[in-house]
Amino acid sequence: MRISELSAESGVAIPTIKYYLREGLLHQGEQTAATRAEYDDSHLRRLRLIRALLEVGRLPVASIKKVIAAVEDEDLPIHEMLGIAHYALGPAVEPEPGEDWRLARAEVDRLLDGLGWDVSAHAPTRDELAQTLLKMRQLGMAVDLAPYVEAARTLVAEVEMDTVPFHGPRDAAVEALVLGTVLYGRALDVLRRMAQESESARRLA
Amino acid sequence: MRISELSAESGVAIPTIKYYLREGLLHQGEQTAATRAEYDDSHLRRLRLIRALLEVGRLPVASIKKVIAAVEDEDLPIHEMLGIAHYALGPAVEPEPGEDWRLARAEVDRLLDGLGWDVSAHAPTRDELAQTLLKMRQLGMAVDLAPYVEAARTLVAEVEMDTVPFHGPRDAAVEALVLGTVLYGRALDVLRRMAQESESARRLA
């Protein structure tokens, strides 16, 4: 298809498509004449992925470039490719100096060991959870992650990972992971607050 | 206790305490001399609440004032007081014009009816969930909220609401709700991403 059809089909404006081509986010089409190129389904899939990373993942263009580079590096195993997108979605957490941080981080490592979860030793989610635990302790909260571990495990193992097309095109797998992680995460958060309101009404009625 | 003791006990600096007094976020102490006032446990509880709203809830001072006004209005039932804090924690969502929005919002209303959840017809969480559903549909995702509803219901009814001291001081109930909602929400989100990494490793190994 020509660029005008790619635009119509994807809903992405032609100047935006040209910008993605210049930035290397979208691969070039097949040049069929000096001023004409042919695009195909792989371009449509890539545009969907860019939109997911930009609008739903809220990633800056520099991070999107890294994710796209991982998608295009066919030597990179799918699990690692997904990891690069996944890690980019979380907030950047800086480890804090001091013993309290060290203890919280060690607690996270012990938790994951105990669960037998296969999470990289360098996963930024470890620091992210350590920061949350540390804050809970500083504020004097009782900390019991067990019900949350169980909720996350059940959702992910029994539902979420079934929606990622691991064996199709690489773009589509990353897109599904990003959309599912962010949008179902948002849905879960708001459903939790709705359930709180309802349970509060029930108990205080 | 004197203001210096209140500062030491709460970890909040004296100039900050004075700022909260001027803004009306913290109630005045009992004046015992022209330049001296006595503070008590109610001031400590209030400072904990302000810190929770500010540091964990990330609320602007204008929203904090509304929450504090609800805490101080003893005629306001506890459920409604908690609702004011709770609603302030979510993002502000503007309904969009058009039929798609109307349908998504009607779907949320039907879902809550079907569940029998006691969520106010004016709860902003209804628009928040409608927005998420609409985005999922626009992006062509398969939408099935059932497992998320079940996860939220189980967590909230069986664990979370037990940690809110409904029958103690009003400040303490709001503080517990805010801390639990935000920090366990953050923990759940990161545990979910950890479980995804682990499950992806398992399936692709």
Side-chain angles (χ1 to χ4, degrees):
Chain A
M1 69 190 102
R2 299 172 65 171
I3 195 166
S4 55
E5 293 165 283
L6 181 64
S7 169
E9 192 84 13
S10 63
V12 179
I14 294 180
T16 309
I17 293 177
K18 289 186 172 167
Y19 167 71
Y20 294 157
L21 286 165
R22 276 199 311 277
E23 288 287 323
L25 297 178
L26 183 65
H27 44 295
Q28 300 294 326
E30 196 190 340
Q31 208 71 29
T32 53
T35 59
R36 192 166 155 176
E38 272 289 307
Y39 300 91
D40 59 24
D41 281 352
S42 72
H43 295 90
L44 274 174
R45 271 197 302 273
R46 176 62 54 82
L47 286 174
R48 286 182 59 99
L49 173 59
I50 294 170
R51 186 163 74 156
L53 294 168
L54 208 58
E55 288 179 23
V56 176
R58 306 265 162 89
L59 298 191
V61 170
S63 301
I64 294 180
K65 280 188 180 173
K66 281 184 206 156
V67 174
I68 301 269
V71 168
E72 291 187 342
D73 178 2
E74 302 271 349
D75 290 337
L76 194 69
I78 295 178
H79 177 64
E80 284 169 45
M81 172 188 81
L82 294 175
I84 287 170
H86 213 213
Y87 290 171
L89 292 176
V93 167
E94 282 301 312
E96 293 165 26
E99 182 65 4
D100 289 347
W101 173 273
R102 212 189 52 70
L103 287 173
R105 176 54 207 263
E107 191 181 341
V108 170
D109 294 346
R110 260 198 322 278
L111 172 76
L112 290 171
D113 268 0
L115 292 169
W117 284 9
D118 195 346
V119 171
S120 161
H122 309 291
T125 42
R126 288 178 184 254
D127 284 339
E128 207 184 324
L129 187 56
Q131 187 187 53
T132 303
L133 279 180
L134 183 58
K135 190 85 198 162
M136 286 172 161
R137 302 234 190 266
Q138 283 168 347
L139 292 166
M141 289 169 72
V143 177
D144 178 12
L145 292 180
Y148 298 87
V149 164
E150 186 48 29
R153 201 199 53 72
T154 309
L155 277 177
V156 168
E158 294 177 11
V159 183
E160 298 201 333
M161 296 314 272
D162 291 336
T163 67
V164 177
F166 286 120
H167 303 293
R170 292 165 68 94
D171 290 274
V174 176
E175 185 207 339
L177 184 80
V178 170
L179 295 184
T181 300
V182 176
L183 291 175
Y184 276 110
R186 218 175 278 168
L188 178 58
D189 191 68
V190 60
L191 284 166
R192 202 173 134 252
R193 280 178 284 125
M194 285 172 160
Q196 288 175 344
E197 176 175 343
S198 178
E199 184 67 14
S200 157
R202 203 183 61 75
R203 296 196 184 194
L204 292 167
Chain B
M1 68 190 102
R2 297 171 66 167
I3 196 166
S4 56
E5 295 164 279
L6 180 63
S7 169
E9 192 84 12
S10 63
V12 179
I14 293 179
T16 308
I17 293 177
K18 289 187 172 167
Y19 167 71
Y20 294 157
L21 286 166
R22 275 199 310 277
E23 288 287 323
L25 297 178
L26 183 66
H27 44 293
Q28 301 295 327
E30 197 190 339
Q31 209 70 30
T32 53
T35 59
R36 191 168 157 176
E38 272 289 306
Y39 300 92
D40 59 25
D41 280 352
S42 72
H43 295 90
L44 273 174
R45 270 196 303 274
R46 177 62 55 81
L47 287 174
R48 288 182 58 99
L49 173 59
I50 295 170
R51 187 164 73 157
L53 294 168
L54 208 58
E55 286 179 25
V56 176
R58 306 263 164 89
L59 297 192
V61 171
S63 300
I64 294 180
K65 280 188 181 173
K66 281 185 205 155
V67 175
I68 301 268
V71 169
E72 291 189 341
D73 177 2
E74 302 271 350
D75 290 337
L76 195 69
I78 295 178
H79 177 64
E80 284 168 46
M81 171 189 81
L82 294 175
I84 288 170
H86 213 213
Y87 291 171
L89 293 176
V93 168
E94 282 299 311
E96 293 165 26
E99 182 64 6
D100 289 349
W101 173 274
R102 210 189 52 72
L103 287 173
R105 176 56 208 261
E107 192 181 341
V108 170
D109 294 344
R110 259 197 323 278
L111 172 75
L112 291 171
D113 267 359
L115 292 169
W117 284 9
D118 195 346
V119 172
S120 161
H122 308 291
T125 42
R126 288 180 184 252
D127 284 339
E128 207 184 324
L129 187 56
Q131 187 186 54
T132 303
L133 279 180
L134 184 57
K135 191 85 197 166
M136 287 173 160
R137 302 236 189 263
Q138 284 168 347
L139 294 166
M141 290 170 71
V143 177
D144 178 11
L145 292 180
Y148 298 87
V149 164
E150 186 48 31
R153 200 199 54 73
T154 309
L155 277 176
V156 168
E158 293 176 12
V159 183
E160 298 202 333
M161 296 314 273
D162 291 335
T163 67
V164 176
F166 287 120
H167 303 292
R170 293 166 70 93
D171 291 274
V174 177
E175 186 208 340
L177 184 79
V178 170
L179 295 183
T181 300
V182 176
L183 292 174
Y184 276 110
R186 219 176 275 168
L188 178 58
D189 191 67
V190 60
L191 284 166
R192 204 174 134 250
R193 280 178 284 124
M194 285 172 160
Q196 288 175 344
E197 176 175 343
S198 178
E199 184 67 13
S200 157
R202 202 182 62 75
R203 297 196 183 194
L204 293 167

